[in-house]
């Protein structure tokens, strides 16, 4: 028999393992300005790790490097459409609501989807698209089935999921931060490289420290 909220009895919550309080599971992620992150050894290490991973995966093709003006003028001359965007880092402090000894730092490198323009300087137009957390529902199904008699189950997230898909459609070139330029680019003015996979897409610009919950 269903009961409304006024007649339901209190439901005990499952206590976290050990002596951890419930507040320890809040998992607040607090943005850290890059100028501050590079002065924090753990934060800088997290950023360096993310950059190294993407370089190793050839997310951008360093051998394709050209001056921005060269790619732009070539596209105009050949009546081709190309897009130009920016790749930039983000840093977050995980478990920011807890004591400093429990903090962890997460580095992320994203493509700034809110600032993409064509060879004519016009804002790039993308078709409307959306993603849904189908993994959340499928994970619940797996949990339920794995608990049936004589059944077992395992679940894992994809590693670097957004770098596993090749970028199709309009040819896209990106600007990298100067601290990620190889030494051979030292005399270049505005180098751009071709983007290969989809990469993480950021449609926001974080200017003020805000708290986010549940980011992974």
């Amino acid at each position: 028999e269903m009961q409304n909220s006024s007649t339901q009895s209190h439901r005990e919550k499952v206590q976290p393992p050990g002596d951890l309080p419930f507040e320890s599971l809040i998992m607040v992620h607090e943005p850290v300005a890059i100028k501050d992150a590079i002065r924090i050894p753990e934060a800088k290490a997290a950023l360096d790790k993310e950059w190294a991973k993407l370089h190793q995966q050839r997310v951008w093709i360093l051998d394709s490097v050209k001056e921005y003006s060269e790619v732009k003028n070539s596209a105009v001359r050949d009546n081709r459409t190309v897009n130009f965007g920016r790749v930039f880092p983000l840093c977050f402090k995980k478990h920011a609501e807890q004591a400093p000894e429990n903090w962890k730092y997460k580095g992320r490198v994203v493509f700034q989807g809110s600032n993409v323009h064509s060879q004519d300087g016009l804002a790039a137009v993308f078709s409307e698209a959306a993603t849904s957390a189908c993994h959340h529902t499928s994970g619940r199904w797996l949990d339920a089935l794995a608990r049936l008699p004589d059944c077992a189950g395992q679940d894992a997230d994809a590693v670097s999921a957004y770098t596993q898909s090749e970028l199709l459609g309009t040819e896209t070139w990106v600007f990298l931060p100067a601290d990620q330029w190889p030494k051979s680019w030292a005399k270049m003015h505005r180098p751009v490289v071709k983007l290969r996979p989809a990469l993480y897409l950021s449609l926001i610009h974080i200017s003020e420290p805000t708290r986010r919950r549940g980011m992974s």
Side-chain angles (χ1 to χ4, degrees):
E1 181 180 359
M2 295 187 65
Q3 298 175 314
N4 59 37
S5 59
S6 62
T7 60
Q8 283 183 343
S9 60
H10 177 69
R11 291 173 296 170
E12 293 295 334
K13 296 181 179 179
V14 177
Q15 175 66 28
D19 297 325
L20 293 175
F22 285 109
E23 291 75 12
S24 66
L25 303 181
I26 293 177
M27 296 188 299
V28 172
H29 277 42
E30 186 175 87
V32 180
I34 297 300
K35 62 182 178 61
D36 297 326
I38 60 177
R39 291 194 284 264
I40 303 172
E42 296 86 352
K44 186 177 185 305
L47 288 170
D48 291 343
K49 179 181 178 181
E50 181 72 5
W51 280 113
K53 179 187 71 176
L54 297 179
H55 278 297
Q56 185 178 11
Q57 293 175 338
R58 287 177 56 83
V59 171
W60 39 80
I61 306 172
L62 291 179
D63 295 342
S64 68
V65 63
K66 294 181 180 179
E67 286 285 0
Y68 165 72
S69 58
E70 180 183 353
V71 179
K72 173 185 172 182
N73 294 337
S74 175
V76 171
R77 183 177 62 250
D78 299 337
N79 196 27
R80 293 183 297 109
T81 298
V82 298
N83 286 336
F84 298 95
R86 171 175 165 255
V87 169
F88 67 100
L90 296 172
C91 185
F92 293 90
K93 180 169 63 180
K94 302 173 68 173
H95 311 302
E97 80 286 357
Q98 297 185 34
E101 59 267 22
N102 295 324
W103 293 348
K104 293 184 179 180
Y105 291 90
K106 172 68 177 178
R108 181 74 84 194
V109 174
V110 298
F111 177 72
Q112 190 178 12
S114 58
N115 184 22
V116 186
H117 66 275
S118 70
Q119 73 284 350
D120 298 317
L122 302 176
V125 178
F126 300 98
S127 60
E128 291 187 4
T131 59
S132 59
C134 59
H135 183 266
H136 183 69
T137 301
S138 61
R140 289 188 173 186
W141 272 104
L142 178 60
D143 288 342
L145 293 173
R147 284 165 174 74
L148 293 176
D150 301 321
C151 291
Q154 292 184 347
D155 184 29
D157 194 6
V159 178
S160 300
Y162 282 91
T163 65
Q164 295 183 12
S165 248
E166 291 290 330
L167 182 63
L168 304 177
T170 305
E171 184 178 302
T172 301
W173 296 73
V174 294
F175 299 92
L176 298 181
D179 62 353
Q180 296 301 315
W181 292 9
K183 292 181 180 180
S184 58
W185 296 9
K187 295 183 179 181
M188 299 190 74
H189 179 51
R190 297 186 70 190
V192 290
V193 290
K194 192 176 293 185
L195 188 65
R196 188 180 61 79
L199 196 58
Y200 307 98
L201 179 65
S202 173
L203 295 174
I204 60 173
H205 175 66
I206 299 177
S207 57
E208 295 293 335
T210 56
R211 290 194 164 194
R212 302 182 172 205
R213 297 175 183 265
M215 292 184 63
S216 59

